[in-house]
Amino acid sequence: MQPTADQLRRERVTPGESGETAWPLPVVAATLLILVLGGISLNGRSIWLDESITAGLARGSWSSWWTGVAEDGGSQSLYFLAARLTSMLGDDPWVYRLPSLLAAAAVPMPTYRLAARRFGPSVATIAVVILAVSYSFVTNAQEARSYTMLAALITWSWLLLDRAIETPSPARWLRWGIVTALTLYAQPLGLPILMGQAIWMLIERRRLVARSVITGFAAAAVISVPFGYLTLFEAGDHTSWLGTFRLRSFAELVAAAFGAQRVSDALVLSAVGTLLAVGFATVGALSPRPGNDGGQPTSVSGHKRQLPYVLWVVVPIMVLLVGSAFRAFLIARYAVPLVPATATLAAVGIQRLRLVDRRAPLVATAVLVAALLGRTVAGYGNEPVPWDELQAHVSEQAIIDDIVAFEPAYTQAPFEYYTWLRGDETTMARPMAPALGWTPPRHPNLDVYPTTPLAPPSGALWIVVRLDEGRVPDLLARFGIPMRETERTSFGEATVIRFEEAE
């Protein structure tokens, strides 16, 4: 049965009632906090594999940009385009990471306004503060990839959907359709979250106006056509490296969704922050009537206020879990777009503590924020492989007659970025050319030369290996001469091994 106009008027929230008039201070504070925490070490970590691809597409020709976008099925094309624009500012890593930081700074606004409409300004304020200090969110705001861009678009999409359902109009649904379609060009990982939106629309189907909804879906369909074409006819398979399901990977994914990516780097802080966030969010999700600030009316009935957030978190995690039967799509950074939802649910749970004691929400917020902030600060400077130091080590010693080989092949990309950045292309070992653009491996490795004999070096052989040295003997055999190890230097998860011809 369709609701009457009087019912809709009674349910509707004015800006004052929803807490939206209170948004400037908490949103501005959270935005500045993200910019500060993310900006402190924006140039502090070295570029890694995926970031070197972003840098290459930002610096290479438009032809190479299109090749990379097509090969990736249109995924992340928005970020690659933004990186080309910011590349005018220079060549250092922070230039290619800047769009990610700016996208992260665009998330507090929709996070606050969506939460304020449902739970009031206090919950919304706690939510954006938790978001701003979450390590998962901040650390991905410091990387030249599109995860925070997806988080921004997804959060705005949920806000626009909430408003379109609340007050239907073709214009509101059109805005939702445009933003929702753009999420595909940020990251297709948004698709499982959009499945949650579809479920929510089915639940609220009685409130939908067909003409308005069709307008939004038509706009989304038109904008999605290039993405669909590239995905079906141009994209390559980049999932073979994902492997199979591992319980630890699933645990890392869940922890990242609640703000503590890379748990092993700061176990105590990560565990405390994750457990508190999970506990508060569970209370918030299961509360039969989550309270608002001062008992103001809200736009939806009590038992439905938190349901979109539950769908926002649970549906994508379940989709990734089911999909892991074929490929283990359980990468911690994939959970970044879920952090605004988990932060809001945690804020709802924290606010429920006022039933125990009026001061309890303040204490709980302080403890959770301290744990997450401590984890974020502890993460500064931590990186699996300092590629800048590794490349400098080789470039200072290798000569033109040496050969630099890589296992696995992808490790050449960040190495060659620093080779190009430092102008070492003409002075370093062969074969060497900057990996700008979407380029195949140029160095000896087993992926390209699994059995083919290779010309031995006139000088030394340098092998850069990450994690697994098991294939190094097979690579040495390709050169057809006996070699002995003369030097070994570790750089985090990577090792540089120098070989010379055995006498």
Side-chain angles (χ1 to χ4, degrees):
M1 180 173 134
Q2 292 284 348
T4 66
D6 288 340
Q7 287 174 325
L8 287 175
R9 276 195 298 269
R10 282 196 300 268
E11 288 183 350
R12 199 165 295 153
V13 186
T14 66
E17 291 171 328
S18 69
E20 289 195 35
T21 54
W23 73 261
L25 182 58
V27 169
V28 169
T31 300
L32 291 176
L33 186 57
I34 289 171
L35 291 172
V36 170
L37 292 176
I40 287 176
S41 62
L42 196 62
N43 210 44
R45 296 183 179 92
S46 68
I47 270 184
W48 57 289
L49 169 65
D50 288 356
E51 291 185 300
S52 66
I53 294 173
T54 300
L57 294 177
R59 279 291 170 187
S61 65
W62 278 107
S63 175
S64 67
W65 184 88
W66 173 251
T67 300
V69 166
E71 175 70 16
D72 219 22
S75 169
Q76 303 186 80
S77 52
L78 277 182
Y79 196 92
F80 295 152
L81 181 60
R84 289 190 75 89
L85 296 176
T86 58
S87 67
M88 295 184 293
L89 300 175
D91 301 322
D92 291 322
W94 72 269
V95 170
Y96 311 110
R97 292 167 174 164
L98 183 59
S100 188
L101 180 60
L102 296 178
V107 178
M109 168 75 83
T111 300
Y112 182 95
R113 299 184 77 169
L114 182 59
R117 288 168 63 84
R118 292 178 167 270
F119 311 111
S122 293
V123 168
T125 299
I126 296 172
V128 294
V129 172
I130 294 173
L131 171 75
V133 299
S134 295
Y135 178 65
S136 304
F137 195 73
V138 172
T139 193
N140 282 278
Q142 299 171 329
E143 294 192 353
R145 301 302 279 174
S146 61
Y147 300 106
T148 56
M149 181 175 284
L150 175 60
L153 289 169
I154 283 291
T155 309
W156 278 104
S157 177
W158 273 105
L159 176 61
L160 293 172
L161 177 62
D162 186 66
R163 290 180 168 180
I165 293 175
E166 180 68 30
T167 311
S169 73
R172 286 178 181 268
W173 279 98
L174 178 65
R175 288 193 288 270
W176 169 83
I178 292 171
V179 173
T180 298
L182 290 177
T183 64
L184 302 177
Y185 298 94
Q187 263 282 359
L189 294 168
L191 278 171
I193 305 176
L194 298 182
M195 293 179 188
Q197 289 194 2
I199 295 173
W200 178 242
M201 282 187 270
L202 287 175
I203 294 172
E204 294 280 42
R205 60 188 178 277
R206 293 183 178 180
R207 305 180 70 188
L208 303 183
V209 179
R211 184 180 63 179
S212 299
V213 174
I214 291 172
T215 301
F217 274 85
V222 170
I223 296 173
S224 302
V225 167
F227 175 82
Y229 170 80
L230 293 173
T231 300
L232 293 174
F233 301 108
E234 299 289 343
D237 182 10
H238 302 298
T239 63
S240 58
W241 63 276
L242 289 171
T244 56
F245 174 82
R246 291 190 306 165
L247 182 59
R248 176 174 176 175
S249 298
F250 178 69
E252 291 273 0
L253 175 76
V254 173
F258 289 88
Q261 189 173 327
R262 291 188 66 87
V263 172
S264 59
D265 287 346
L267 181 58
V268 174
L269 289 171
S270 297
V272 171
T274 300
L275 292 175
L276 285 174
V278 169
F280 293 141
T282 301
V283 172
L286 298 180
S287 296
R289 294 185 60 83
N292 56 21
D293 301 330
Q296 301 103 323
T298 57
S299 59
V300 288
S301 58
H303 73 282
K304 286 186 178 179
R305 291 181 201 165
Q306 72 273 45
L307 187 54
Y309 293 98
V310 175
L311 294 172
W312 187 343
V313 177
V314 173
V315 172
I317 289 180
M318 293 305 298
V319 169
L320 293 176
L321 186 59
V322 171
S324 68
F326 307 96
R327 286 281 192 266
F329 295 99
L330 302 175
I331 309 301
R333 57 183 178 272
Y334 290 179
V336 173
L338 310 184
V339 178
T342 61
T344 302
L345 288 174
V348 173
I350 287 173
Q351 193 69 2
R352 292 292 288 171
L353 294 178
R354 68 181 179 179
L355 298 176
V356 179
D357 186 285
R358 294 182 61 183
R359 294 167 295 183
L362 180 61
V363 174
T365 301
V367 173
L368 178 57
V369 168
L372 292 175
L373 181 61
R375 173 68 189 95
T376 298
V377 173
Y380 288 149
N382 294 336
E383 54 186 339
V385 181
W387 287 106
D388 52 346
E389 298 176 12
L390 188 153
Q391 190 276 341
H393 172 79
V394 176
S395 67
E396 289 170 2
Q397 301 183 58
I399 61 175
I400 199 67
D401 291 329
D402 294 351
I403 287 179
V404 182
F406 295 86
E407 285 300 335
Y410 69 76
T411 54
Q412 73 149 5
F415 185 93
E416 288 193 351
Y417 165 78
Y418 284 104
T419 299
W420 167 79
L421 184 63
R422 291 166 175 159
D424 293 338
E425 303 100 312
T426 59
T427 59
M428 271 208 54
R430 65 178 176 88
M432 176 56 64
L436 297 179
W438 201 264
T439 57
R442 299 184 178 89
H443 295 264
N445 60 79
L446 292 182
D447 293 335
V448 179
Y449 306 100
T451 59
T452 307
L454 299 170
S458 300
L461 170 66
W462 302 78
I463 298 182
V464 179
V465 57
R466 186 179 180 201
L467 296 176
D468 182 12
E469 296 184 26
R471 302 210 303 177
V472 170
D474 293 331
L475 179 60
L476 289 174
R478 299 286 79 78
F479 293 95
I481 61 173
M483 295 187 186
R484 61 185 178 87
E485 179 181 324
T486 59
E487 181 185 328
R488 173 184 294 258
T489 308
S490 295
F491 295 88
E493 295 179 357
T495 303
V496 176
I497 312 173
R498 185 177 185 270
F499 295 90
E500 293 182 354
E501 183 176 357
E503 297 179 358

